[in-house]
């Protein structure tokens, strides 16, 4: 088990390196740069651009920029600054003097950590995931136990919507119904400390995952229902409730756990759109904004944080899998 | 001795896309206390469905028991409430299954699974139950039983798993043990061990047994009475000795012909029956075995023969007296 963990942690290094490489060169290959303004705005003059480029090291060869971002290099004053390997994600091109790690992880003054951009996104992601699991798994179980009844068909209908309709469309629909139409929730909150304003973003973000979880749980339950060991359990005279809870559900959930890894990645990518639609003060919106502004270090830093997050999520799924299924031994 | 179990006219059907499968067609038999009954027939002849219908373990839908009674201790198993049925299952009539690999829940420990009948029917605590489980596992020959309670099914070999299955079925001292091809998935030496184990336990505990198999060889040494099944019908039934010495139905003759015998001096060629048992989508108007039968006459194609007495306590469903070639009725 511990060798398994060590190995998996060591694997994070090449994964993150590859992510960093691809992102870095793609980002620089994309047209435009951090000093471009849209044509109606006041332009940055050539001299200032040159000074800025020197300050940020943009005048150096691209490979050198890459190594100094990842491993470290000399800054404009000639001092050595350690790079991303030391957790130093660079200085923002837009927010003067602000490091990316500070921008993402530091909460506003006298607020706890979860008021940081990262904290906000993490909370939203956790709520979305909770919604997906707490609704999706029971829905799948009930649909399977009531196979081919109206309950099953209703859940199939919702699942189909959740899987096939993009989340920004669902977002707009739900806003239309619950905010504009019924007026139950506000979508222009005065403060994100209100509880009700979290509901729509979390539900929309978790909707696709909820649908996939429900579908997977249903299929997996239907598979389990036919298993010999369920018949054995009945032949022992166990109550139906015990047969379902003790003998079916745990077995049915094993394959469901495997989709949680990809689901987390889905929550991350979903958050870019959802946070932008709801004006949510999180990392996803910061990321989208940074891309538009070609804020190179912000793009790099945020990507690396996301990559680490998804990798860790997949790792915990694998560990969880080992706990659920005794046939799987976590070795090499 | 009085009948412990009496099944009359049992009929079970499955609704499938291809039509209604008549899996069991009016099966009757009885079982006395402590008696061992063998049910024999090729795969697909309705052996499993017969016994699972009695315990109401067939999936419904698509399955349905359409007729019959199964009287056990003055009550009809087919009509009792679900709650009463549950109190019979595992406590009074227990079952072991063919595949010891898939018949255990892979994510629960052996101790947990074997303890379940005790907790359910005897109201034992987990701790009491585990102590009894350890005893039972030693009884069926699991070495170091106590240490193995927390092991999972995949940590046991096939033969050991089948032993555990037997222990699990017998924890509550049932009156009837139904064994549905418990040795089919095992290799031959292990088969013999399991059969010996069941014989020993029968002598110690005195339960009646219904032993399903497609191997007449196993039944010969184990059962007192044999039902031969074909296409959902019992086509021959007799005590073991007369059945083996003097089989009457061509199907039984064929099954015995495909069995190697040690008591035969000259080496006889093993005969096998050509073809496969049918799946019946209608009640047959001919003898369901006729298409494969070497003795068939015209009558066989016109009318399905009922069970007819052919000897003392010996019944067969065949128009032809296979010994003389004469018609029976
Ligand atoms: N769940 C089911 N759905 C449809 N047909 C079934 C089902 N279970 C059994 N049958 C049919 O019932 C017949 C008898 O099966 P079974 O009792 O399992 O045979 P065996 O004698 O090998 O135990 C077979 O023709 C089989 O196709
Ligand atoms: Mg069978």
């Amino acid at each position: 088990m511990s060798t398994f963990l060590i190995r998996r942690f060591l694997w994070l290094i090449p994964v993150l390196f590859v992510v960093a490489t691809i992102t870095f060169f793609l980002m620089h290959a994309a047209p435009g740069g951090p000093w471009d303004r849209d044509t109606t705005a006041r332009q940055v003059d050539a001299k200032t651009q040159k000074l800025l480029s020197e300050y940020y090291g943009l005048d150096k060869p691209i490979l050198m920029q890459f190594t100094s971002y990842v491993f470290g290099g000399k800054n404009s004053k000639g001092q050595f600054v350690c790079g991303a390997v030391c957790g130093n994600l660079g200085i923002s091109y837009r927010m003067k003097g602000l490091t990316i790690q500070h921008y993402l992880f530091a909460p506003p003054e006298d607020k706890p950590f979860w008021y940081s951009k990262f904290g906000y996104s993490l909370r939203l992601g956790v709520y979305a995931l909770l919604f997906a699991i707490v609704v999706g798994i029971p829905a799948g179980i009930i649909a399977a136990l009531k196979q081919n009844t109206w309950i099953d068909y209703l859940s199939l209908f919702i699942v189909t919507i959740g899987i096939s309709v993009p989340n920004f469309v669902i977002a707009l629909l739900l806003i239309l119904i619950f905010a504009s139409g019924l007026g139950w929730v506000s979508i222009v909150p005065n403060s994100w400390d209100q509880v009700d304003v979290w509901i729509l973003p979390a539900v929309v973000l978790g909707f696709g995952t909820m649908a996939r979880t429900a579908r997977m749980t249903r299929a997996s339950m239907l598979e389990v229902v036919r298993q010999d060991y369920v018949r054995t359990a009945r032949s022992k005279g166990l109550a139906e409730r015990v047969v379902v809870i003790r003998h079916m559900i745990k077995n049915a959930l094993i394959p469901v756990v495997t989709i949680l890894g990809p689901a987390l990645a889905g929550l991350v990518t979903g958050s870019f759109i959802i946070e932008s639609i709801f004006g949510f003060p999180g990392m996803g919106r910061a990321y989208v904004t940074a891309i538009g502004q070609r804020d190179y270090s912000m793009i790099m830093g945020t990507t690396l944080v996301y990559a680490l997050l998804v990798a860790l999520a997949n790792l915990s799924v694998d560990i969880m899998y080992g706990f659920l299924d005794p046939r799987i031994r976590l070795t090499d | 001795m009085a009948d412990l179990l009496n099944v009359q006219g049992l009929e079970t059907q499955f609704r499938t896309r291809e039509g209604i499968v008549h899996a069991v067609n009016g099966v009757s038999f009885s079982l006395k206390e402590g008696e061992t009954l063998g049910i024999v027939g090729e795969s697909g002849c309705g052996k499993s469905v017969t016994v699972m219908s009695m315990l109401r373990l067939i999936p419904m839908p698509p399955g349905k028991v359409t007729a019959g009674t199964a009287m056990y201790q003055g009550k009809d198993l087919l009509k009792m409430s679900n709650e009463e049925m549950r109190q019979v299952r595992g406590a009074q009539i227990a079952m072991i299954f063919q595949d010891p690999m898939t018949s255990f829940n892979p994510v629960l420990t052996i101790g947990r699974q074997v303890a379940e009948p005790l907790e359910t029917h005897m109201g034992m605590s987990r701790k009491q139950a585990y102590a009894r489980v350890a005893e039972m596992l030693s009884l069926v020959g699991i070495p170091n039983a106590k240490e193995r309670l927390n092991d999972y099914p995949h940590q046991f070999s096939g033969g050991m798993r089948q032993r555990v299955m037997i222990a699990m079925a017998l924890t509550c001292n049932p009156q009837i043990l139904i064994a549905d091809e418990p040795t089919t998935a095992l290799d031959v030496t292990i088969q013999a061990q399991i059969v010996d184990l069941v014989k020993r336990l029968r002598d110690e505990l005195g339960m009646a047994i219904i032993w399903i198999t497609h191997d007449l060889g196993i039944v010969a040494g184990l059962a007192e009475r044999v039902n031969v099944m074909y296409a959902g019908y019992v086509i021959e039934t007799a005590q073991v000795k007369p059945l083996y010495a003097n089989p009457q139905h061509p199907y039984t003759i064929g099954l015995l012909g495909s069995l190697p015998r040690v008591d035969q001096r000259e080496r006889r060629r093993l005969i096998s029956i050509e073809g496969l048992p049918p799946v019946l989508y209608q009640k047959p108007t001919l003898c369901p075995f006729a298409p494969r039968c070497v003795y068939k006459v015209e009558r066989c194609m016109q009318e399905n023969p009922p069970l007819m007495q052919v000897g003392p306590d010996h019944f067969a469903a065949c128009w032809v007296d296979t010994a003389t070639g004469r018609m029976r009725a």
Side-chain angles (χ1 to χ4, degrees):
Chain A
M1 181 75 184
S2 58
T3 47
F4 167 83
L5 281 182
I6 293 168
R7 257 166 182 273
R8 286 293 303 261
F9 269 110
L10 289 178
W11 257 108
L12 292 178
I13 297 168
V15 167
L16 290 178
F17 183 78
V18 169
V19 168
T21 313
I22 294 174
T23 314
F24 190 89
F25 291 102
L26 272 181
M27 162 179 99
H28 279 274
W35 323 130
D36 297 335
R37 286 286 180 274
D38 88 57
T39 45
T40 54
R42 198 160 64 98
Q43 301 299 307
V44 184
D45 63 73
K47 197 169 156 225
T48 319
Q49 278 200 24
K50 188 160 174 285
L51 281 173
L52 280 169
S53 290
E54 263 166 40
Y55 175 75
Y56 285 101
L58 284 179
D59 52 344
K60 304 223 179 72
I62 183 122
L63 256 172
M64 200 167 151
Q65 288 182 41
F66 177 68
T67 52
S68 63
Y69 183 85
V70 173
F71 302 107
K74 294 214 167 63
N75 67 3
S76 51
K77 296 192 193 83
Q79 301 151 317
F80 180 83
V81 182
C82 188
V85 287
C86 302
N88 188 357
L89 300 177
I91 299 166
S92 170
Y93 289 67
R94 280 304 162 112
M95 270 126 318
K96 198 167 158 229
L98 208 56
T99 62
I100 305 303
Q101 57 270 34
H102 188 267
Y103 182 72
L104 293 180
F105 294 103
E109 256 169 81
D110 52 73
K111 290 279 192 187
F113 170 71
W114 56 85
Y115 280 85
S116 63
K117 293 244 176 313
F118 178 80
Y120 266 109
S121 289
L122 193 66
R123 273 148 79 196
L124 186 63
V126 167
Y127 297 150
L129 191 64
L130 279 181
F131 165 75
I133 290 172
V134 168
V135 177
I137 287 179
I141 290 172
I142 292 167
L145 294 177
K146 307 268 174 202
Q147 195 192 359
N148 297 332
T149 63
W150 67 270
I151 299 179
D152 189 18
Y153 295 136
L154 177 71
S155 104
L156 183 69
F157 177 70
I158 295 172
V159 161
T160 312
I161 291 179
I163 289 173
S164 52
V165 180
N167 56 8
F168 56 88
V169 177
I170 293 178
L172 294 179
L173 269 176
L174 292 188
I175 288 173
L176 269 177
I177 298 172
F178 293 103
S180 315
L182 298 168
W184 288 357
V185 288
S186 157
I187 45 155
V188 226
N190 302 320
S191 146
W192 287 93
D193 284 339
Q194 288 167 252
V195 177
D196 62 327
V197 299
W198 286 77
I199 296 174
L200 270 192
V203 166
V204 174
L205 183 56
F207 206 81
T209 304
M210 181 277 286
R212 263 173 274 271
T213 308
R215 184 175 65 166
M216 188 79 184
T217 309
R218 177 182 180 273
S220 166
M221 274 298 277
L222 288 178
E223 188 65 34
V224 167
V225 167
R226 301 193 277 111
Q227 295 297 315
D228 289 350
Y229 56 79
V230 172
R231 186 183 59 191
T232 308
R234 292 215 173 89
S235 81
K236 291 190 272 188
L238 303 182
E240 194 56 27
R241 177 178 41 86
V242 178
V243 174
V244 171
I245 294 174
R246 193 183 298 161
H247 287 272
M248 299 193 345
I249 290 183
K250 193 177 171 195
N251 279 290
L253 288 189
I254 292 171
V256 176
V257 169
T258 52
I259 65 162
L260 286 183
L264 272 153
L267 290 185
V268 166
T269 48
S271 72
F272 303 152
I273 299 162
I274 299 307
E275 289 189 11
S276 301
I277 290 181
F278 288 93
F280 187 84
M283 200 161 90
R285 186 154 68 108
Y287 189 49
V288 175
T289 314
I291 292 173
Q293 297 176 335
R294 298 285 186 278
D295 188 340
Y296 290 147
S297 21
M298 183 72 85
I299 297 174
M300 282 300 289
T302 322
T303 306
L304 286 176
V305 171
Y306 278 130
L308 185 65
L309 210 62
V310 171
L312 288 179
N314 276 312
L315 178 58
S316 35
V317 164
D318 285 353
I319 293 171
M320 200 152 61
Y321 206 63
F323 276 110
L324 270 176
D325 191 340
R327 286 163 298 184
I328 294 183
R329 289 285 214 70
L330 298 180
T331 45
D332 50 280
Chain B
M1 224 188 294
D3 285 347
L4 186 57
L5 175 74
N6 189 309
V7 176
Q8 287 299 326
L10 185 68
E11 266 187 37
T12 304
Q13 302 174 351
F14 290 93
R15 207 170 273 279
T16 68
R17 221 170 290 159
E18 290 78 31
I20 295 175
V21 175
H22 296 254
V24 175
N25 302 300
V27 163
S28 305
F29 63 89
S30 65
L31 185 71
K32 295 187 190 4
E33 261 173 56
E35 185 186 30
T36 300
L37 170 73
I39 300 183
V40 184
E42 287 163 291
S43 155
C45 284
K47 307 181 295 293
S48 302
V49 174
T50 301
V51 292
M52 293 217 274
S53 300
M54 275 161 32
L55 283 181
R56 308 203 331 227
L57 287 173
I58 54 166
M60 301 189 219
K64 190 164 193 255
V65 178
T66 46
T69 56
M71 300 305 289
Y72 173 74
Q73 296 192 332
K75 286 205 154 175
D76 187 353
L77 294 172
L78 302 177
K79 298 214 171 60
M80 58 175 55
S81 71
N82 287 338
E83 192 44 47
E84 285 175 299
M85 186 76 244
R86 272 198 285 277
Q87 281 161 14
V88 170
R89 285 181 194 157
Q92 311 195 39
I93 305 181
M95 203 164 165
I96 56 181
F97 298 95
Q98 173 170 348
D99 194 342
M101 192 77 153
T102 57
S103 296
F104 279 104
N105 188 331
V107 303
L108 293 181
T109 61
I110 285 296
R112 194 82 202 280
Q113 297 188 58
V114 179
E116 275 183 328
L118 293 167
E119 292 168 6
T120 311
H121 299 295
M122 308 281 201
M124 283 193 192
S125 69
R126 181 70 54 85
K127 214 173 146 217
Q128 291 170 315
Y130 268 48
R132 172 101 175 102
V133 168
E135 278 172 35
M136 282 306 292
L137 292 184
S138 311
L139 185 69
V140 298
I142 307 281
N144 304 324
K146 250 205 189 96
E147 285 96 80
R148 305 221 55 187
L149 292 180
N150 291 322
D151 283 355
Y152 289 92
H154 71 273
Q155 291 164 294
F156 290 77
S157 69
M160 283 296 153
R161 248 186 303 228
Q162 201 55 286
R163 284 169 191 266
V164 176
M165 178 76 81
I166 291 169
M168 184 161 79
L170 296 180
T171 42
C172 294
N173 257 322
Q175 296 212 309
I176 303 177
L177 173 70
I178 299 176
D180 187 356
E181 308 207 30
T183 59
T184 305
L186 305 174
D187 60 47
V188 184
T189 48
I190 314 273
Q191 275 186 12
Q193 290 172 12
I194 296 289
V195 172
D196 284 344
L197 172 67
V198 170
K199 274 191 206 164
R200 201 189 86 214
L201 292 170
R202 179 182 60 186
D203 295 342
E204 278 173 41
L205 306 171
M207 70 277 183
I209 298 177
I210 298 179
W211 187 284
I212 297 178
T213 178
H214 56 244
D215 185 347
L216 270 167
I218 290 181
V219 162
L222 191 67
E224 280 126 39
R225 187 175 188 88
V226 180
N227 287 349
V228 183
M229 284 193 72
Y230 190 79
Y233 293 90
V234 174
I235 51 94
E236 183 158 6
T237 172
Q239 298 289 317
V240 165
K241 281 219 183 87
L243 188 92
Y244 280 71
N246 192 15
Q248 292 296 313
H249 196 285
Y251 181 61
T252 316
I253 295 171
L255 283 182
L256 283 169
S258 52
L259 190 74
R261 295 179 69 143
V262 276
D263 57 345
Q264 213 109 40
R265 276 286 165 83
E266 74 239 61
R267 293 172 67 95
R268 210 164 38 118
R269 268 187 54 219
L270 296 182
I271 322 158
S272 65
I273 316 169
E274 296 285 319
L276 289 171
V279 176
L280 299 181
Y281 291 106
Q282 278 116 36
K283 275 274 167 67
T285 53
L286 71 167
C287 171
F289 187 62
R292 297 168 74 187
C293 185
V294 290
Y295 296 89
K296 73 164 171 274
V297 295
E298 203 161 319
R299 176 126 194 225
C300 305
M301 305 301 288
Q302 289 156 357
E303 204 177 339
N304 188 8
L307 273 178
M308 291 172 269
Q309 184 144 19
V310 296
D313 197 16
H314 190 162
F315 299 81
C318 184
W319 294 123
V320 182
D321 181 345
T322 45
T324 60
R326 259 180 278 159
M327 296 296 286
R328 282 192 209 284

